[in-house]
Amino acid sequence: MCLGLLLTCALFTACQKKEEIKVYRVSKAEPETSVSESPSARGMPPAAATIESGNQMTRGMPPAASSMVAGLPPPPTSQVTGTPPSNWESQPLSSMRQLSYVVKGQNGALADISLVILAGSAGGVLDNVNRWLSQLGQPGITEGQLAKMTRHQQSSLGDVTIVDLEGLPQGADAAKDGRIVAGIAFADNRTFFFKMRGNALLTESQKEPFVRWIGTIRMDAPASAPGPTAAPAANQDNPPIKWDVPGEWKPVAPSSMRYASFAVAGQDGESADISASVFAGNGGGDLENVNRWRAQIALEAIADADLKALIIPVACKDGQIFTVDMNGPKSRILAGWARVAGKSWFFKLIAPTQLADREKAAFVKFLQSVQFHP
Amino acid sequence: MLHRLFDFVSSLKLTIICLSAALVLVLAGTLAQVNFGIHEVQQRYFHSLLIWWPPGVQGLKIPVFPGGHLIGAILLANLIAAHLRRFRWSWEKLGIQLTHAGLIVMLAGGLFTDLFSVESFMRLAPSETKNYSEDSREMELAVIDESDKDLDQVTAIPEARLRKGGTIEHESLPFRIVVRHFYQNSRLQPLEKAPKDAVPAATEGVGSQVVISEIQRATAENDRDLVSAVIEISPIPMGGEVTSPSLGTWLVSDQLGAPQTFSYSGRKWRLVMRPERYYKPYSLTLRTFTHERYAGTEIPKNFASRATLIDPERKENRDVLIYMNHPLRYRGETFFQSGFEKNDAATVLQVVYNPSFVAPYAACVIVAAGLLFQFAFHFAGFLRRRKKAQLQ
């Protein structure tokens, strides 16, 4: 009996061990960094390593995969440009950072500046501000408190919400921490995070240059971006699609992430912004997207359970587009999306309420005319 | 009831069943190597309790045959039970009992070796120093917190855990990792070279430029699977609320050379899929690697690695010579000269940790002693009887 128990314990322990997550600390000055490791030999068993002829290291790896080892695509190249102040020094970019700078003050004071772009809603303004506050060791705030501490800056990305937060987290170096000035913009189904974090006095002195820098940010349109045609032709990056554009809508040059843009004028200089965008994959969850759009027109987020009631399907020429119609205090968003052949299409109209009311019928007609596979 | 169970466990019938099952298992495992390769067959048929069907598929599976561990364990229990049941102390039986005891030690040692031994490899180029070895057959996702200026904190998630999928939360991580897809063997292709309707593997990092597809498992002895996974880094909801945005999906793969980093909670993190590492409290630096061949041929005559072993804890700092049949044994691990790379660019040492490595030696000695005693006992009896007959 004891033996049985012993064997069972041993077998169970061995099975559990295979899935056990290990945590350990290693010195940054790892010994192996002294000599570069040949990627071709990395991790091969000796049976392969001992073979002296032929490229055994890439056996079993298809040609394309083999080439990936040596010729990986570089991290996404930045299509964002801006004009930083002359005293900011560029830093190496990471896969997250599209732009990265550091500014140095006196007595070792530092501030780190970055632009990070995330797909989808990325949590909205309040959640992110509370996240930054927690980084500074400060308690979170409410929507009402947030409204009092934000300012707005116009840029090519649209409205940028700017916050200035103070606090020194426990154990932090005051020369390098103590304040965050940050900006958030939502454009083309992406969230742009501008952030400067560092020494409180240095950050204060760099606040206005930081805000001016945000104003200089431009998204460079890629060469293959479609032109402002009413019925865009297929190109290398995007699949073919056809639609009928209402007569009053004027084509506008699309940004790098818009497939096509249109504008229609209303009264008193008002205008409606209509866009069509396409993304690989599912383009974020429906709830995330809807709540991001709601945040853009100052509506509170909804729960998943309430989403279904909000969605109205509209039949287009060769499929179905799911739509939502959301009316905020001042403006209204009509949006539609469809997932076709591994890509997600988004259609959106945002305008002051009266103008959106007027254009709703045209927008629905536009959606009905969409043909994903012409 | 217990008596009947004990009767069955100690019966010869069970021995025959186990040995027959072992025969079938060996045959089936040998045939299965055609489709699965030797390593996979070892894991699936011999280093397992049960053989599941259908193989290599997630979801519902049924056990169809006992695996090597189960057959070995039952055989071991059967042998011990039979030994206990039939044990009668007498000089006459001592040899047989010793032989059976030796077999028990051998079976138990084999089982424990299978369960607890660790084999890995250390590849060293000249002058290179390493304080870890790697298991090239098992991958791990290393999530590395690089915030500290001196030390990296590594959270190593084994391949077996990634394969299970689902959400991974760990106290060392301020976020959770959701395994969106696990690829046992995969092929990566740059997005620009992929078909137009191809979808990037992930939304962030290198994965946003790469298309991934699942391919057949590698079966040749020198091949190995190229393990990949698509994971999502997402915040841990606090009080049911998500307080920060998801950091998107990331492709992690042994094929990726480019590092992938991101910031979270004010800390910098790095994601690496790599062969599972075993760190040691000591290091080895390769000084010279000698590769002698028989004159006029390319046939290896001898290959040897001279390395410096440095162990700050034990104040060791000495040169060691590792060559064929002369391994280095240190702190419970054995370093065998296993191979070398093309043009002698590096030496490859096999590193074996086997807590029950003494078992086969002990078993052989016990069995030999038992057989010798049995032979001597019977031989002495024979001589006595013969002498007695001659006297009569």
Side-chain angles (χ1 to χ4, degrees), chain A residues 22 24 26 28 41 43 46 49-50 72, chain B residues 121 136 148 152 154 156 257 338 340:
Chain A
K22 293 184 285 185
Y24 49 82
V26 290
K28 280 187 190 293
T50 52
L72 267 175
Chain B
F121 299 92
S136 58
D148 191 276
D152 283 342
V154 181
S338 171
F340 51 90

Side-chain angles (χ1 to χ4, degrees), chain A residues 69-122:
Chain A
V69 175
L72 267 175
T77 50
S78 172
Q79 293 181 324
V80 188
T81 56
T83 312
S86 57
N87 61 331
W88 291 9
E89 296 171 21
S90 289
Q91 294 192 101
L93 301 180
S94 70
S95 57
M96 290 289 288
R97 289 185 170 208
Q98 299 290 314
L99 295 171
S100 183
Y101 303 97
V102 65
V103 59
K104 293 173 182 168
Q106 292 178 330
N107 302 322
L110 285 178
D112 177 70
I113 300 126
S114 62
L115 167 60
V116 170
I117 304 173
L118 297 179
S121 64

Side-chain angles (χ1 to χ4, degrees), chain A residues 79 219-229 232-238 253-260:
Chain A
Q79 293 181 324
M219 297 296 294
D220 297 338
S224 58
T229 54
N235 60 32
Q236 274 198 324
D237 298 328
N238 292 317
S255 70
S256 62
M257 285 174 294
R258 286 187 174 196
Y259 192 94

Side-chain angles (χ1 to χ4, degrees), chain A residues 143-316:
Chain A
E143 191 81 57
Q145 290 169 304
L146 176 70
K148 292 175 191 163
M149 58 193 288
T150 54
R151 60 183 268 198
H152 294 268
Q153 160 84 17
Q154 289 308 308
S155 77
S156 65
L157 302 169
D159 182 63
V160 184
T161 306
I162 292 170
V163 289
D164 185 351
L165 313 168
E166 272 192 278
L168 188 64
Q170 206 172 15
D173 183 355
K176 296 173 185 169
D177 208 353
R179 193 163 181 164
I180 290 177
V181 179
I184 301 179
F186 301 101
D188 299 324
N189 290 309
R190 291 197 173 199
T191 309
F192 295 71
F193 292 96
F194 302 90
K195 186 176 169 192
M196 174 166 62
R197 180 178 183 178
N199 171 267
L201 287 175
L202 179 63
T203 306
E204 166 65 25
S205 72
Q206 294 301 311
K207 185 175 172 180
E208 287 314 311
F210 175 76
V211 173
R212 282 200 298 276
W213 169 66
I214 291 175
T216 68
I217 295 295
R218 295 278 180 277
M219 297 296 294
D220 297 338
S224 58
T229 54
N235 60 32
Q236 274 198 324
D237 298 328
N238 292 317
I241 189 169
K242 271 177 83 175
W243 52 53
D244 299 329
V245 181
E248 287 191 350
W249 291 9
K250 302 284 178 247
V252 176
S255 70
S256 62
M257 285 174 294
R258 286 187 174 196
Y259 192 94
S261 287
F262 307 95
V264 59
Q267 291 176 338
D268 305 325
E270 290 176 337
S271 98
D273 175 35
I274 303 124
S275 62
S277 310
V278 59
F279 296 94
N282 76 351
D286 293 349
L287 184 65
E288 275 187 336
N289 287 322
V290 168
N291 278 336
R292 184 168 48 76
W293 293 327
R294 292 179 71 83
Q296 288 171 11
I297 52 173
L299 286 177
E300 285 187 0
I302 56 164
D304 199 14
D306 302 325
L307 178 65
K308 204 174 170 185
L310 219 63
I311 297 174
I312 302 164
V314 169
C316 64

Side-chain angles (χ1 to χ4, degrees), chain A residues 3 19-20 22-26 28 30-32 41 43-44 46 49-51 61 65 72 95 122 127 131 280, chain B residues 121 129 136 146 148-150 152 154 156 164 200 222 224 226 243-245 255 257-258 261 274 279 338-341:
Chain A
L3 177 78
E19 293 179 13
E20 190 186 328
K22 293 184 285 185
V23 181
Y24 49 82
R25 285 174 165 248
V26 290
K28 280 187 190 293
E30 283 184 68
E32 72 273 19
M44 284 306 293
T50 52
I51 296 170
M61 197 190 287
L72 267 175
S95 57
D127 285 345
R131 183 167 55 87
Chain B
F121 299 92
T129 303
S136 58
E146 297 184 319
D148 191 276
K149 66 179 171 40
D150 299 320
D152 283 342
V154 181
K164 253 176 88 174
N222 290 339
R224 65 189 181 105
L226 300 168
T243 54
S244 56
Q255 301 166 67
T261 58
R274 65 188 187 190
Y279 278 89
S338 171
F340 51 90
E341 282 187 7

Side-chain angles (χ1 to χ4, degrees), chain B residues 127-191:
Chain B
S127 302
E128 188 178 16
T129 303
K130 270 188 183 165
N131 62 346
Y132 65 86
S133 55
E134 294 171 302
D135 181 350
S136 58
R137 295 287 182 190
E138 294 292 327
M139 294 290 131
E140 67 181 15
L141 171 62
V143 186
I144 304 168
D145 179 358
E146 297 184 319
S147 313
D148 191 276
K149 66 179 171 40
D150 299 320
L151 293 170
D152 283 342
Q153 178 170 295
V154 181
T155 304
I157 303 165
E159 180 186 323
R161 178 62 193 86
L162 291 173
R163 193 181 296 121
K164 253 176 88 174
T167 301
I168 299 168
E169 286 187 20
H170 195 270
E171 57 195 14
S172 64
L173 301 174
F175 46 79
R176 60 185 183 183
I177 293 172
V178 185
V179 183
R180 294 288 177 207
H181 204 105
F182 178 81
Y183 301 86
Q184 189 63 54
N185 196 12
S186 57
R187 192 181 81 151
L188 303 190
Q189 198 180 6
L191 186 59

